[in-house]
Amino acid sequence: MLAEQIVNGLVLGSMYALIALGYTLVFGVLDKLNFAHGDIFMFGGFVGVSVLALGAPLWAGAVAAFVACGVLGLLVELVSFRKFRSHDAQVTAALSSLACSIILIDATQKVWGTEPVALTLATAIRTASITVEGLRVAWVNIGILALTLLLMAALYVLIVRTRMGRNIRAVADSAVAAELLGIDVTRVTQQTFFLASGLAGLAGVMLAVRTGFVTTELGLTFGIKALAVMAIGGMGDLRGAVVGGLLAGLVEAMATQLGLGKFGDMAVWLLMILVLLVRPAGLFGGLRKETRA
Amino acid sequence: MAETVLGFDGVSKRFGGIHALSALSFEVRAGEILGVIGPNGAGKSVMINVASGVYAADEGRIVHRGRDITRLNAHQRGRAGIARTFQNIRLFKRMTVLENVLVADKTHTVRPFGSLLSFGRRREEIAAALAELDRMRLADKADQLAGTLAYGDARRLEIARALAGKPSVLFLDEPAAGMNERETEELLADIRACRSRLDAIVVVEHDMALLRVLSDRLVAMNYGQLLAEGTPDIVLAHPEVVSAYLGTQDG
Amino acid sequence: MIADHIMFTGVNVLLAWSVYVILLSGSVSFANGAFMAIGGYGAGVLTTKFGLPLVAGIPIAALGTAAFGMIIGLPALRTRGIYLILVTTGIAFCVKNAIEAIPYVGGVRGMRGLVGAEPWHVWVVAGVVGLLLWLLSRTPLQRILDAVREDELVARSLGINTVYVKVIAFGTGAALAAVAGGLYAHYMYVINPEHFGILVSVYVVLYVILGGVNNLWGPPLGAAVMTLLPELIRGLQAWRPIVFGVVIVILLLVRPEGLLPFRSPTARAKEARRG
């Protein structure tokens, strides 16, 4: 029972981590919050479910969600961030992206309705499981864990080894310096948004496959928690997002185990508040410019 | 010998492993204009920040008119009479020139919510602020937004704002930076004109020529330490000061 | 229906001012929906369980909320910008979850039997608040708040205790939101935690930014426009969130300083010479 909850926590946490990576990538590059990110994740679930409803295979649904959400991310960048570059515009950009998320939620409801939409996927796939040493683990959970690990590894390689990753790191370090070095900051920002939003889209599909349905509330109930996760791990820090995500997933699973489901939600937010007050840079981040005296 | 207004006594400040100030001791005497020189990175700005309470000193004592102010935080130092300007001029840009000076009125900064009941004093306050602006030749720009001022005017407004709180010691952080020769001349006159209204003025600069003519005494710093303290001629002839300057810059 | 519009517009105007008061000292609060909830539930408990009249219940609840706001504000206001947005968002979530977990006030099902507030009550309160804010805008305190908002470090160097100023502003804003919540609750008859979700906080901040934060008329204008606009245009009600979102995005792009961006100086040079 406990082991089962740990697996649950890890699966949940890996999805949090995937979304939090997007928040943190954008924050790292722009020093700004993309409040639309949680609902881009939600939208990814709807895209995935719709593509699967056409009879397409699972991978096609995932790819479609990745691309659709990536494009959506580019759109959000264009209307809510392009014009608000300065540090003073932090709050304006955050609010503008919030407005985007309001539009996105309502538009999704206009297309798919306000009721949860069920996933059409053979029940056999969703419930198939193996039993290892008495512990029953659903293949879906194994798949989600494996895929997120793969994605994180790929992201790591991308950021550390490729030219695009180098540029992203350069802009994150100092946009001004990067510009002087001839890096096209706007382009790097777009790449970051595409990547961050695409990953959120994939997380949306994963959650849909795991729970069997999607609703337009997911951005506010699930996606935004990744925001807290990002802050816990350290804003702008990739390791922090992953560790913070897994931690939050485990905490929630444990709360459920102990029959304190309601407080699992709250625990994540309380932890975030504490971290921001005591150690604004998060568990991992070094001190950023803003938090210094 | 004149009485000591402000004393640094073995003050140290570290950032991580870097010693920004190491056991710095010097004194500011009543009635004087004290110049502080040193190459870039000598710790001059850190010294101002420690004096004004932006940073807390790690070791040592800061004594103002016999009172230990080492543990006071920034607003308490402001109230105690330590005023300052900033290297990169920091005005309230979206407020008018007049408001920038009015806001520094001590009766209100000390008891902000008491000011809700002070309708009666309004006219005198504005008159006092205008007089302050007049001394800095800014009275005709009183209703302009501070953000629209030219560089030299902005510098002087920052000084006027600091003076409006009737401080005891005023720290000026590179007041002549970015000014041409004529503007610098005017600024010197303005600084001299206000010295009688304060206990002392401390001017941080790395322009030696300027400090030579302006200050009564000089303090030379390097690597967060005191190199020399005394009259300009003595300090500027001090071998360590000469080598610190020749070694790092030619101006 | 008309009464509803008058009521909700008034509540939103009050809420907008509650955010504005906090913004005056430079802090953005995404927790005002939570303060509204505490005010609504607090006043509700006092009127339904203790039999207090509404005129007593709401002020007591407002004072309690102010105290709560100041206690959490003291540590929270050490953060700024995005960090403060996150902290206040967290507070909003925590308060809502906490209320849902308290059976005494009905948990997720909510609380019933709240009566006594009329639309004109809200407008009388709004009138008084507006008058006070207008008086404030002509006092030295307004300047001090402006200074704290513009540059905290400089404000401190002038001797202003910025933490104190910010905490008081936060508490005052919390109290105002609580009053709005108390009136709202006693007009609705039934309230539940969903009425005070994070989106309420978010919407109010958006009203304020939309109207403009540099003067006291911007926030109520933003609130009134965004509450009534979709109702005024027939057939638009169903599209309200989209209209709302699109209007915000466009306005932020073309008028980042809000509908009423001007700021009136608190004093002018000629005042000294007059008379």
Side-chain angles (χ1 to χ4, degrees), chain A residues 27 31-33 35 78-80 83-84 90-100 102-103 105-107 110 220-221 224 227-228 230-231 235 262-263 265-266 269-270 272-273 276-278 280-281 288 290-291, chain C residues 28 30 72 75-83 85-91 93-95 97-98 100-101 108 198-199 202-203 205-206 209 238-249 252-256:
Chain A
F27 186 82
D31 258 355
K32 302 217 161 58
L33 276 190
F35 265 111
L78 181 67
V79 299
S80 295
K83 206 184 151 197
F84 308 120
Q90 266 191 337
V91 174
T92 317
L95 289 174
S96 180
S97 62
L98 245 170
C100 283
I102 291 170
I103 298 171
I105 294 175
D106 203 42
K110 288 280 179 299
L220 266 180
T221 54
I224 202 162
L227 189 64
M230 170 200 56
M235 296 167 74
K262 208 62 258 160
F263 293 98
D265 263 17
M266 213 162 134
W269 289 105
L270 273 178
M272 179 201 76
I273 293 174
L276 286 177
L277 295 184
V278 178
R288 296 185 66 85
E290 201 186 352
T291 56
Chain C
V28 182
F30 274 48
I72 56 169
L77 292 170
R78 285 173 27 205
T79 61
R80 237 171 294 168
I82 280 183
Y83 294 84
I85 291 184
L86 283 175
V87 170
T88 50
T89 307
I91 292 169
F93 273 107
C94 287
V95 167
N97 281 340
E100 283 174 356
V108 282
I198 182 70
L199 278 181
V202 166
Y203 275 119
V205 176
L206 287 173
I209 301 295
W239 294 82
R240 201 172 158 198
I242 287 192
V243 172
F244 188 88
V246 170
V247 169
I248 295 264
V249 167
L252 284 178
L253 285 172
V254 295
R255 295 199 74 134

Side-chain angles (χ1 to χ4, degrees), chain B residues 24 26 28 33-39 42-45 47-48 171-172 174 201-207 211 215 217-222 226 228 245:
Chain B
L24 181 67
F26 68 92
V28 184
I33 294 180
L34 176 73
V36 178
I37 56 165
K44 301 179 308 259
S45 282
M47 183 274 289
I48 293 193
F171 284 83
L172 299 175
E174 305 207 1
I201 300 175
V202 181
V203 185
V204 165
E205 264 295 338
H206 53 226
D207 181 348
L211 284 185
S215 14
R217 290 193 317 123
L218 274 185
V219 161
M221 288 175 68
N222 202 13
L226 183 78
Y245 263 81

Side-chain angles (χ1 to χ4, degrees), chain B residues 79 90 93-94 99 122, chain C residues 138 150-151 159 266 271:
Chain B
R79 289 173 186 187
R90 293 174 79 154
K93 292 200 184 78
R94 278 135 54 104
E99 286 181 296
R122 196 177 167 83
Chain C
R138 308 173 48 78
E150 288 246 327
D151 194 327
T266 53
E271 287 176 65

Side-chain angles (χ1 to χ4, degrees), chain A residues 106-113:
Chain A
D106 203 42
T108 309
Q109 288 182 345
K110 288 280 179 299
V111 177
W112 281 281

Side-chain angles (χ1 to χ4, degrees), chain B residues 50-120:
Chain B
V50 170
S52 60
V54 174
Y55 303 140
D58 293 324
E59 282 156 31
R61 283 181 355 127
I62 302 168
V63 179
H64 174 240
R65 298 180 135 268
R67 175 185 178 202
D68 187 336
I69 59 167
T70 322
R71 297 278 147 247
L72 298 190
N73 56 33
H75 75 262
Q76 291 167 324
R77 307 256 187 130
R79 289 173 186 187
I82 311 292
R84 64 170 297 184
T85 63
F86 295 82
Q87 202 173 330
N88 51 338
I89 314 181
R90 293 174 79 154
L91 295 171
F92 302 120
K93 292 200 184 78
R94 278 135 54 104
M95 294 161 73
T96 66
V97 169
L98 176 65
E99 286 181 296
N100 264 272
V101 174
L102 275 172
V103 77
D105 189 319
K106 272 272 158 49
T107 23
H108 302 316
T109 54
V110 173
R111 294 183 57 236
F113 295 96
S115 77
L116 283 175
L117 306 166
S118 73
F119 291 98

